[in-house]
Amino acid sequence: MRKYAPCLMRRSNLSNLPAELNRFVGRGAEIRELQGLLTRFRLVTVVGVGGVGKSRLVVRAAAAAEKRYCDGVRLAELAPLRDPGLLEQALLDALGLTDHTRRPPREVLAEHLVDRRLLLVLDGFEHLVDDCAGLVRELLRRCPGLTVLAAARCPLRLDGEAVVPLAPLPEADAVRLFTERAAAVLPGFRTEDGGRVEGDDSVRELCRRLDGIPLALELAAGRLPALGVEQMLHRLDDRFRLLTGGTRGALPRHQTLRTAIGWSHELCTPRERLLWARLSVFVGPFDLEAVEYVCGGPELPADEVLDTVAGLVDRSVVLREETPAGVRHRMLDTVRAYGAEWLAELGDEERMRRRHRDWYMGLATWCELEWFSPRQAEVAACADSALPDLRAALELCLEAPEEAHLAQHLAATLWFCWVGCGRLAEGRHWLDRVVALEPGHDEARLRALWVLGYVAVLQGDDTAAVAALYECGEGAARTGNALAAAYTTHRMGCLALLSDDMPRAEELLSQALTAYRELGELNSQVLMGQVELAMAKVFLGEPEAAVALCREVREVCEDRGELWTRAYALYVLAYSAWTRGAYGEARELLGECIAIDHAFHDLVGLVLAVELLALVTAAEGDPAEAAVLQGAAAPMWEAVGLPLFGSGYFSAPRVLCEQRAGEELGAERFRSCVAEGSALPLDAAVARALSGRPLDRVPSPRGARTRARRGGRPG
């Protein structure tokens, strides 16, 4: 049984706090209080009603405290998360970690944080409070340098927790916030310092009536293009009596916020109200195409959705933002929850959730097809942006036993997200759940089984891989599913390759490729099978055959615009070039390979390429730089799981580089250079590999992805 190291791979940027889009107003005393508490407590939780400004405050306080934490500040936004089983994965994502191993994510988190001084900001966990409390308790106990700053509607109730209730803004700050936001949406609206506006007494009265709740004030400011302050006061009087019922025993501030949002709702047109309710089924960012499909209908024609969305943006109900996947929209959690209540009142929740599920199943299918195309980088960014809603679609499928086949189909269709975009652990989570469902539709189940086998192979979990692939093979034989049989053979060949059984790998991979040709199957996975066969051949001393296979793959990839598999073909070609002593050719091939792997955050391909580049560098006569690159690969191996690719044939470049560079540098200098490389964050390590010199900062690979315009997608 193999043992695996935890994921310790992180990027250069020590903070992922969002940039402020408008000026922060007030809260000076609260920020100073939080600064003081963070020096005395390791867990500080800001609590308060929705819309009171908890999220903005903790982000501001965390940014002010950032210099105290040598390992940075990381924000985990938990409001979109619905599955408690993904809580640890959400924190891994927030920390910028990638884990390809099969270790429990909680262990990975603890081992990463155990010797670091870091501030972790948790926002919006009230719906997961019990699970979150257990995780935070364990991390704080095991990681003495960790401090947690949290924001939610309720505390975690843990020993040592400092709880800070957040009150609404005092009148002066409330007026300042309102007038600043008003000036932004209504040219000519002047602040108090700039002169009277409709009577400052009216502004102060409005702020008092809204209890100084920032969200309510911002919503009110957003209404100014349509209504004056006096008109808003008059309408607010009417709406208090109409909308303050709420739940029995609700706090007045909850009622006030509900009134403010409900009043904003009443000011919307009927179509805007209907769209607001329907948009509540989206968990994360959404684009216009998704809204047109999910929310359109006889009452809201698709050709009028754009104008209706624009109206909600103008009213500050929907927010517009630029993402690596393009323009997206989203709703604040409080606003979305209000819309969800109206959707339930309309009796349309189930239908909207199913339309949402159907859209994201279609999106997943489109992404899988376009993965084998020039849009591959765009697909990766799209899947990353859509992940919260893809999770929601999976959860809906899992709720109904009769729809098990849909859950299996969706989890399997997302193989490119799990394998190609560095999300093996999450993929394993979903695949384990869907194959545990009662057997039903054979085709969907067989596909989920071989994808599970694929993920388990890459995690080094041989037992689970063999079990899934054996069941898939039996099912394929029973039902006559030749394609499932071919994929089963392929993945068994991949398992043999990673187990250093090259003759068996060559046999199985050859069989799978023959079956693919007979079936007319051609995609990234088929090409990867050809690359894997080339790896087996180069390790068996057949470099010419390996080169021929990879050149063919390279040509197909260039013709189709495929990048991910192309990178692995480049690796094998570089390996062959190194064996021939063509070091310049090998370096050029590896440079392209590393750039692609880094863009897709594929640590498996990346670490193999960096280690081979280290050996090439040593062969070129620069043992010190070779040792630095060797050291830079070490944290990547810990993320991948060193024993998975770390013995036998795959370890040869590392062993040879260590011998060659170690002999030329001497043991002490070699260790020093390796330590220098090991200390490099991921982005800096890649920059060093590509340029030969250290860079302080390079762009995030996900942010650098292509932002090509997307065409039509299946719904």
Side-chain angles (χ1 to χ4, degrees):
M1 183 66 66
R2 296 181 175 124
K3 295 182 179 179
Y4 297 89
C7 167
L8 299 175
M9 199 68 257
R10 54 178 178 159
R11 300 179 186 165
S12 302
N13 193 359
L14 295 180
S15 170
N16 67 340
L17 298 178
E20 293 185 336
L21 300 180
N22 48 30
R23 199 166 76 88
F24 188 85
V25 175
R27 301 297 195 194
E30 290 90 340
I31 290 176
R32 288 190 294 273
E33 180 184 6
L34 288 177
Q35 297 298 301
L37 290 173
L38 287 172
T39 65
R40 307 195 306 274
F41 294 88
R42 295 180 56 219
L43 172 59
V44 179
T45 303
V46 177
V47 298
V49 64
V52 79
K54 302 181 297 295
S55 299
R56 189 81 185 261
L57 176 65
V58 295
V59 168
R60 183 79 170 190
E66 186 172 357
K67 292 181 180 179
R68 300 181 192 168
Y69 301 93
C70 57
D71 290 296
V73 177
R74 307 297 295 189
L75 168 65
E77 295 179 301
L78 303 178
L81 196 65
R82 291 295 173 264
D83 183 354
L86 292 175
L87 182 58
E88 289 91 345
Q89 186 63 45
L91 265 60
L92 287 173
D93 290 344
L95 291 167
L97 305 178
T98 298
D99 174 32
H100 283 316
T101 75
R102 58 189 174 95
R103 288 173 56 100
R106 187 167 297 206
E107 289 298 317
V108 175
L109 281 170
E111 289 211 22
H112 174 75
L113 294 170
V114 67
D115 58 353
R116 285 177 166 78
R117 182 172 174 78
L118 181 140
L119 177 62
L120 179 62
V121 183
L122 304 178
D123 185 27
F125 56 78
E126 47 273 324
H127 57 302
L128 302 169
V129 63
D130 292 336
D131 298 277
C132 193
L135 177 58
V136 170
R137 180 192 296 111
E138 183 172 346
L139 291 178
L140 288 174
R141 285 177 174 175
R142 297 176 61 178
C143 309
L146 175 66
T147 300
V148 175
L149 176 58
R153 301 188 189 192
C154 59
L156 289 165
R157 302 193 185 283
L158 296 177
D159 291 340
E161 179 181 23
V163 178
V164 180
L166 186 60
L169 289 170
E171 182 179 309
D173 286 338
V175 169
R176 189 153 55 97
L177 175 65
F178 176 81
T179 51
E180 284 202 8
R181 300 299 188 259
V185 300
L186 185 66
F189 189 101
R190 293 171 294 169
T191 65
E192 284 188 308
D193 292 338
R196 294 176 62 81
V197 287
E198 255 190 276
D200 291 334
D201 290 342
S202 297
V203 172
R204 282 193 289 270
E205 175 64 14
L206 180 64
C207 293
R208 281 196 297 268
R209 299 293 296 276
L210 293 176
D211 274 358
I213 296 177
L215 177 59
L217 295 168
E218 297 201 7
L219 287 170
R223 303 291 77 77
L224 280 171
L227 295 172
V229 175
E230 292 286 355
Q231 291 174 296
M232 283 193 282
L233 278 170
H234 176 72
R235 286 173 176 257
L236 189 60
D237 283 337
D238 294 339
R239 295 307 177 255
F240 265 113
R241 288 191 294 272
L242 180 64
L243 297 173
T244 53
T247 58
R248 190 177 301 278
L251 294 174
R253 287 172 188 159
H254 284 264
Q255 295 175 338
T256 301
L257 179 63
R258 179 177 177 80
T259 299
I261 298 177
W263 163 62
S264 183
H265 182 268
E266 288 292 305
L267 291 175
C268 292
T269 67
R271 280 183 175 158
E272 288 170 348
R273 294 178 208 160
L274 178 61
L275 182 58
W276 183 346
R278 292 180 175 180
L279 286 175
S280 67
V281 298
F282 290 96
V283 181
F286 48 85
D287 63 10
L288 183 63
E289 291 174 280
V291 177
E292 289 172 338
Y293 178 87
V294 176
C295 303
E299 314 91 338
L300 187 63
D303 59 359
E304 296 186 17
V305 166
L306 174 59
D307 289 341
T308 312
V309 169
L312 291 176
V313 171
D314 289 342
R315 297 179 187 280
S316 302
V317 172
V318 170
L319 306 178
R320 180 188 185 277
E321 58 188 13
E322 294 281 348
T323 76
V327 174
R328 293 292 186 270
H329 293 85
R330 66 181 177 88
M331 289 196 296
L332 294 177
D333 191 54
T334 305
V335 175
R336 188 181 72 83
Y338 188 89
E341 291 183 10
W342 275 93
L343 187 62
E345 287 290 326
L346 293 171
D348 206 19
E349 183 178 14
E350 188 64 25
R351 187 177 73 91
M352 283 293 104
R353 289 185 70 199
R354 288 182 177 277
R355 288 182 66 84
H356 174 273
R357 187 270 315 279
D358 293 345
W359 169 262
Y360 282 98
M361 289 193 71
L363 178 66
T365 300
W366 177 86
C367 285
E368 184 187 29
L369 291 171
E370 292 298 320
W371 181 260
F372 188 48
S373 80
R375 291 178 168 181
Q376 199 172 64
E378 179 192 348
V379 166
C382 177
D384 192 55
S385 173
L387 193 57
D389 287 281
L390 288 167
R391 290 167 177 163
L394 280 162
E395 286 289 357
L396 180 59
C397 295
L398 287 164
E399 287 178 10
E402 67 276 11
E403 295 187 343
H405 63 290
L406 296 179
Q408 292 164 351
H409 174 78
L410 181 53
T413 298
L414 290 169
W415 70 266
F416 65 90
C417 184
W418 315 139
V419 176
C421 301
R423 292 189 173 274
L424 286 179
E426 178 162 353
R428 181 68 182 276
H429 169 85
W430 292 113
L431 289 161
D432 279 338
R433 290 183 66 184
V434 301
V435 300
L437 301 173
E438 288 295 321
H441 293 63
D442 288 325
E443 185 175 349
R445 181 173 179 80
L446 292 178
R447 193 160 189 251
L449 282 168
W450 68 250
V451 175
L452 172 59
Y454 187 15
V455 169
V457 165
L458 294 178
Q459 286 187 309
D461 191 350
D462 295 1
T463 302
V466 169
L469 294 173
Y470 182 78
E471 182 181 347
C472 187
E474 280 194 327
R478 185 184 68 254
T479 61
N481 191 324
L483 189 59
Y487 277 107
T488 300
T489 303
H490 178 178
R491 298 310 167 200
M492 291 297 291
C494 182
L495 178 60
L497 179 72
L498 300 186
S499 301
D500 289 341
D501 188 350
M502 296 305 156
R504 178 66 172 161
E506 183 181 31
E507 176 188 358
L508 292 172
L509 292 168
S510 296
Q511 290 177 9
L513 291 170
T514 299
Y516 289 145
R517 283 192 294 272
E518 292 174 351
L519 293 165
E521 184 82 347
L522 180 62
N523 54 36
S524 297
Q525 298 191 72
V526 172
L527 293 180
M528 186 64 79
Q530 193 164 332
V531 172
E532 290 160 351
L533 177 59
M535 287 182 179
K537 287 187 176 295
V538 80
F539 291 146
L540 288 171
E542 303 175 38
E544 292 182 0
V547 168
L549 285 166
C550 286
R551 282 178 176 166
E552 182 180 334
V553 170
R554 190 178 182 181
E555 289 175 3
V556 175
C557 288
E558 289 174 351
D559 181 58
R560 297 297 187 106
E562 212 276 1
L563 294 172
W564 177 64
T565 309
R566 173 186 169 90
Y568 283 89
L570 295 173
Y571 169 79
V572 178
L573 291 171
Y575 196 105
S576 177
W578 165 75
T579 62
R580 302 193 313 269
Y583 304 137
E585 178 185 349
R587 176 175 289 278
E588 182 178 353
L589 291 165
L590 288 170
E592 186 179 354
C593 176
I594 289 169
I596 294 171
D597 286 330
H598 186 48
F600 286 98
H601 208 54
D602 183 352
L603 289 184
V604 174
L606 182 61
V607 70
L608 292 174
V610 169
E611 276 205 336
L612 182 55
L613 181 62
L615 178 58
V616 169
T617 303
E620 289 176 327
D622 192 348
E625 185 64 18
V628 171
L629 293 174
Q630 183 99 317
M636 301 181 204
W637 275 126
E638 291 170 343
V640 170
L642 181 61
L644 179 58
F645 290 86
S647 60
Y649 297 97
F650 286 98
S651 68
R654 181 172 62 258
V655 173
L656 291 173
C657 180
E658 185 174 347
Q659 291 175 350
R660 184 163 190 165
E663 289 175 0
E664 295 189 35
L665 294 174
E668 185 175 349
R669 177 83 191 285
F670 177 77
R671 284 195 298 270
S672 175
C673 291
V674 167
E676 178 186 348
S678 298
L680 293 173
L682 179 60
D683 289 347
V686 169
R688 183 76 171 243
L690 293 178
S691 67
R693 63 180 186 277
L695 298 179
D696 292 334
R697 189 181 182 89
V698 296
S700 168
R702 292 192 186 275
R705 282 178 175 152
T706 305
R707 297 188 184 185
R709 288 179 57 85
R710 202 165 62 242
R713 297 191 302 247

